[in-house]
Amino acid sequence: MAEIAFRNVTKRYGKVLAVDDASFTVADNEFFCFFGPPLSGKSTILRLILGLERPDSGEILIDGRLVNTVSPAARNIAMVFQNLALFPHMTAAQNVRFPLVERGAPEAQIAARLADAAAKLHIGHILHKMPAQLSGGERQRVAIARALVRDPAAYLMDDPISALDARLREETRVELKRIQREAGRTLIYVTHDQEEAMSVADRMAIMERGAIRQIGTPAEIYDHPATTYVARFLGAPEMNILPAAEAAQVIAGAQGFEGSRDIGLRPEDLRVSDWAGEGRAAVVAEVEPLGGYTVVTLDAGQTRLRALLRGQPDIRVAAQVALRCDPARVHFFGAGGEALHRNDLGGLK
Ligand code: ADP
Ligand code: MG
């Protein structure tokens, strides 16, 4: 069992604020993602949990116990690093066995753990191969198996599948979710791929310049982003954010934007139809048919918007169309980029 918590943890490298007053609690058995752009502090958080770095201030707790000065070995946490780093001169089996051999575990236990990890990761048939003979996905699974045999209290994974091609990434993230569920362990996972974060995470933290901007389930954060930064960062195409003053061009019948600086419209919440002289007019600037859906770029007055439409609608560049959005789907943001709640905005209908 492992619950992992930060209380106001700060870590600097010289003048760089790598982790800025971070607080969170990852529950036992939770699949928790840190999601943020490069250099936002994700890897530093993992190194702090592992014990490779010490915080400048704040507390790191594992199962309620303060571990700020506890050595990595005594924390019993396994890490899968970004560069998988298998030993090239060892077979897959020897790689997976290595952490237990290193500790002098009895052979019977090593064999049993190897068999168990191999079954969970479906690598039984490649255990005799050398890393150079394995595909990227196979190497990935061997590296995870090597972390799994240790039976640690928690796993940390630092963008472990970013090197794989798109199809394999999709396959592997489904596998990871299954393994975590079956192994019943806390898993803290770092990624810069939003689809990956949203598909695997029970809960996630959105990072920006060392700070955690929001924590919640993927659905909570997607539906109720706390700031314009989070709103833009999660969702593809990204949320349309426009000055409230221009909102009337898009949202017919809604009022009460006065209290907000900006409004946000998810591309999938926009409706585009043939222009029939009613509603708000927009001109089609780009059409990107992507098979199951189509991304349409529109100019409504001075405002450029992107709409995500199902299927392949018959929409041409330069056509004039009618643009609508359900007022109930509109997001509101204040002067500091913070989300405002409908109740704070009195006049909204
Ligand atoms: P991420 O994993 O999100 O890309 P990192 O945690 O690696 O971000 O880095 C956060 C910030 O800390 C960056 O500005 C990075 O340059 C800096 N940083 C990370 N590790 C070191 C280090 N060992 N020495 C100096 N600066 C570092
Ligand atoms: Mg990193």
Side-chain angles (χ1 to χ4, degrees), residues 13 16 18 37-44 47:
Y13 294 105
V16 176
L39 306 182
S40 59
K42 308 180 297 296
S43 296
T44 304
R47 288 200 302 272

Side-chain angles (χ1 to χ4, degrees), residues 1 43 54 93 106 129 153 203 219 239 247 322 338 344:
M1 118 124 206
S43 296
R54 290 198 180 167
K129 292 190 178 177
R203 286 189 309 145
M239 184 187 277
E338 78 285 7
D344 307 336

Side-chain angles (χ1 to χ4, degrees), residues 23-336:
S23 295
F24 61 84
T25 302
V26 178
D28 186 32
N29 285 355
E30 193 169 27
F31 199 134
F32 192 94
C33 271
F34 284 93
F35 173 50
L39 306 182
S40 59
K42 308 180 297 296
S43 296
T44 304
I45 285 184
L46 293 193
R47 288 200 302 272
L48 286 161
I49 296 171
L50 200 61
L52 298 180
E53 302 280 3
R54 290 198 180 167
D56 295 318
S57 59
E59 298 182 334
I60 299 174
L61 303 134
I62 299 180
D63 289 332
R65 185 170 74 106
L66 186 68
V67 297
N68 282 27
T69 58
V70 173
S71 74
R75 296 187 192 191
N76 192 26
I77 288 173
M79 174 104 154
V80 177
F81 288 94
Q82 201 158 14
N83 52 355
L84 305 172
L86 293 177
F87 301 114
H89 58 287
M90 291 185 186
T91 64
Q94 286 167 331
N95 265 283
V96 175
R97 290 163 48 94
F98 182 79
L100 298 176
V101 172
E102 197 187 24
R103 260 149 233 240
E107 178 55 34
Q109 188 195 57
I110 297 177
R113 292 261 183 90
L114 171 64
D116 181 52
K120 283 198 174 108
L121 283 137
H122 308 305
I123 54 170
H125 60 293
I126 53 167
L127 284 176
H128 62 284
K129 292 190 178 177
M130 305 300 281
Q133 298 171 287
L134 302 176
S135 72
E138 289 169 340
R139 278 203 289 275
Q140 173 60 34
R141 292 205 298 239
V142 171
I144 295 171
R146 189 173 59 183
L148 218 58
V149 289
R150 280 183 47 188
D151 197 27
Y155 299 104
L156 312 182
M157 297 193 184
D158 194 348
D159 223 343
I161 61 180
S162 58
L164 308 185
D165 68 46
R167 185 178 296 269
L168 206 51
R169 275 211 309 275
E170 249 170 65
E171 225 175 87
T172 311
R173 76 187 187 213
V174 173
E175 291 272 286
L176 272 175
K177 187 78 186 158
R178 176 184 63 79
I179 292 161
Q180 185 263 345
R181 200 168 50 229
E182 289 175 3
R185 286 290 184 285
T186 305
L187 173 53
I188 300 183
Y189 191 91
V190 159
T191 178
H192 64 279
D193 179 325
Q194 62 164 305
E195 218 181 86
E196 199 171 295
M198 292 202 66
S199 69
V200 296
D202 294 321
R203 286 189 309 145
M204 62 203 279
I206 311 285
M207 305 282 303
E208 180 189 15
R209 282 184 271 117
I212 295 176
R213 297 300 183 206
Q214 190 170 3
I215 295 177
T217 67
E220 279 164 4
I221 298 177
Y222 189 81
D223 288 340
H224 305 287
T227 66
T228 49
Y229 168 82
V230 174
R232 281 208 181 91
F233 197 55
L234 204 61
E238 70 180 38
M239 184 187 277
N240 300 290
I241 294 181
L242 44 142
E246 293 170 25
Q249 288 175 327
V250 190
I251 312 151
Q255 299 144 31
F257 304 129
E258 297 79 29
S260 58
R261 186 188 67 185
D262 294 311
I263 64 154
L265 304 167
R266 289 273 182 213
E268 67 272 26
D269 292 333
L270 291 175
R271 298 285 167 267
V272 176
S273 53
D274 289 337
W275 176 246
E278 286 174 25
R280 307 293 162 175
V283 176
V284 177
E286 297 289 346
V287 178
E288 299 164 76
L290 297 169
Y293 54 93
T294 298
V295 178
V296 181
T297 305
L298 301 146
D299 290 319
Q302 300 301 308
T303 308
R304 176 154 279 204
L305 297 148
R306 303 237 280 166
L308 185 64
L309 308 178
R310 283 172 67 106
Q312 295 166 39
D314 183 21
I315 291 177
R316 308 263 157 88
V317 170
Q320 191 175 44
V321 294
L323 184 58
R324 280 173 298 145
C325 181
D326 177 356
R329 306 290 302 174
V330 180
H331 300 258
F332 300 93
F333 300 100

